[in-house]
Amino acid sequence: MEKMPWIVSSQDVDALALQSYSRKEKSLGVLVSNFVRIYNRDDVDLFGIDEAAAKLGVERRRIYDVVNILESIEVVSRKGKNLYSWNGFLHIPRSLHHLKEEGLREGFGTSSICSNSDKVSHDDESEESLCLTPDDQDNSSLSKLDHKKESSLWLLSQNFVKMFLCSHDDLITLDSAAKALLSDSQDPMHMRTKVRRLYDIANVLSSMELIEKTHIPGTRKPAYKWLGSKSLTEKGSTLFNSTNESKKRVFGTEITNFSTKRNKTDCSSNYVQNGYNKHDEEEKKPAAKTYVFGPFSPTGASKKNNNNNAGTNNSGRLQDLEALSSTYKPQYCNQDVTGLLGHYTEAWNKWFAELDRK
DNA sequence: GACTCCCGCCAGAAG
DNA sequence: CTTCTGGCGGGAGTC
């Protein structure tokens, strides 16, 4: 999914309510954007499915989709029944690094991509490994449970990401991904189902700007390109931006998928537990005050240099960041923002430097 | 007509 | 038992 101009700003809400139904407004990508905007805040730590569904004006089922995909890159993690914790973007680099290592170990990026994995960094999940290598896998006796796990959005999303991280190909089509990720059958029906799920995942990852939809050169065949850490550093500014927004707005006032008019919802959600603070100081998500730019990409700065590798090279990332900061700085005329941005850049620099050292 | 992917049914897990 | 979770595929919207 390309840029999504239909993501609403606060002014648009009323107008939007009057608009007729548009499928795009209901897309998972938009849902994720709104999800991030609502939950990417200092004071949000835990949230519930019901609460999220209500705030986003969608049914629970959709929240499960979003949460499962976000969980695959550790943006959220499941804490218990009907309870998730919001980790934010700051765990993504670590998660990607983890996924890449694991992907390489499992042979992603080679011709024999298998769809196996165990649950990385899934601290509260203790189930057995899902890894079914061709050696030990008995296709015919793949249990229902195994099949279910193998098809989960969580796993599929991780494997999809691994393909990008480990493959030498710049572009990946959903078809090829589905083929690669279907361990056993090449049954067209299974393929269709897998591709449907990959669309879901691709939409979410696109919305997170980890990947970008494009085309196979010379054809109209859609394919996805990895953006990864580059866009992640860029997203830092978006992240701040969204924090901005949420600080000055009431929850629920900017949501596209609203079926019912909702008014003031208390910003401090029922599920937010102030005492619960698992992040240390430098992991804190910075907060800003006033300036709001559009969703993602405040400048064209980072659309260049797509060639660096995703989420693995820390020093490269630092360079990215430096380049970004110098590119961004002149773009903001607002004094307050410039100050804040300096603070953010510093915070991010510090964080990446720390990561680099580790 | 092909592609995209929302929607909600319903099976299985969890409490 | 009830409630939660989420795979799944029909079929509608979009290109």
Side-chain angles (χ1 to χ4, degrees), chain A residues 18-249:
Chain A
L18 300 171
Q19 281 173 11
S20 58
Y21 170 84
S22 160
R23 202 176 189 217
K24 283 179 180 172
E25 290 157 15
K26 295 257 181 182
S27 78
L28 273 190
V30 174
L31 183 58
V32 167
S33 295
N34 289 330
F35 195 92
V36 166
R37 247 190 270 205
I38 286 182
Y39 285 104
N40 198 28
R41 303 159 50 94
D42 277 352
D43 56 344
V44 173
D45 207 343
L46 300 177
F47 65 93
I49 298 289
D50 289 317
E51 169 213 0
K55 284 191 170 135
L56 289 159
V58 298
E59 54 175 303
R60 295 167 60 90
R61 179 69 197 80
R62 300 283 75 76
I63 303 297
Y64 288 122
D65 286 337
V66 169
V67 151
N68 278 329
I69 297 170
L70 293 184
E71 199 181 4
S72 73
I73 49 173
E74 297 185 61
V75 172
V76 304
S77 43
R78 187 163 192 265
K79 290 300 170 193
K81 185 175 165 180
N82 211 345
L83 192 63
Y84 286 80
S85 73
W86 176 261
N87 302 327
F89 295 136
L90 294 174
H91 288 185
I92 294 180
R94 186 188 67 186
S95 176
L96 295 181
H97 183 69
H98 212 135
L99 287 175
K100 177 162 186 175
E101 280 185 342
E102 200 174 67
L104 290 173
R105 232 181 295 133
E106 291 164 355
F108 278 78
T110 69
S111 53
S112 59
I113 292 169
C114 70
S115 64
N116 55 359
S117 162
D118 43 15
K119 292 206 158 196
V120 269
S121 314
H122 221 225
D123 25 50
D124 54 347
E125 301 278 348
S126 58
E127 59 254 74
E128 74 281 15
S129 164
L130 302 173
C131 195
L132 301 165
T133 67
D135 296 334
D136 59 14
Q137 180 178 2
D138 179 355
N139 287 338
S140 59
S141 65
L142 198 65
S143 75
K144 245 186 175 174
L145 184 63
D146 285 340
H147 176 70
K148 187 165 180 167
K149 281 178 182 173
E150 200 189 55
S151 314
S152 75
L153 265 189
W154 181 88
L155 188 58
L156 194 58
S157 172
Q158 284 207 331
N159 286 339
F160 189 48
V161 169
K162 284 177 191 173
M163 285 184 71
F164 282 106
L165 294 179
C166 304
S167 151
H168 300 298
D169 302 329
D170 278 349
L171 300 176
I172 295 180
T173 65
L174 297 188
D175 272 357
S176 63
K179 274 192 194 111
L181 296 175
L182 266 173
S183 59
D184 39 8
S185 93
Q186 296 287 313
D187 174 5
M189 196 59 218
H190 287 164
M191 276 287 290
R192 264 175 60 86
T193 301
K194 208 67 141 186
V195 170
R196 280 194 190 102
R197 296 293 79 78
L198 286 171
Y199 276 120
D200 295 340
I201 292 166
N203 277 340
V204 170
L205 297 182
S206 296
S207 179
M208 301 290 290
E209 296 217 331
L210 285 172
I211 62 176
E212 181 183 61
K213 190 177 184 183
T214 172
H215 297 279
I216 300 281
T219 73
R220 296 182 60 187
K221 193 170 177 60
Y224 287 87
K225 175 173 77 182
W226 182 255
L227 298 177
S229 64
K230 175 186 66 62
S231 98
L232 197 63
T233 50
E234 178 182 338
K235 195 162 26 253
S237 55
T238 309
L239 176 149
F240 311 141
N241 161 31
S242 60
T243 308
N244 269 356
E245 252 182 14
S246 51
K247 282 259 152 74
K248 68 172 204 172
R249 264 185 211 153

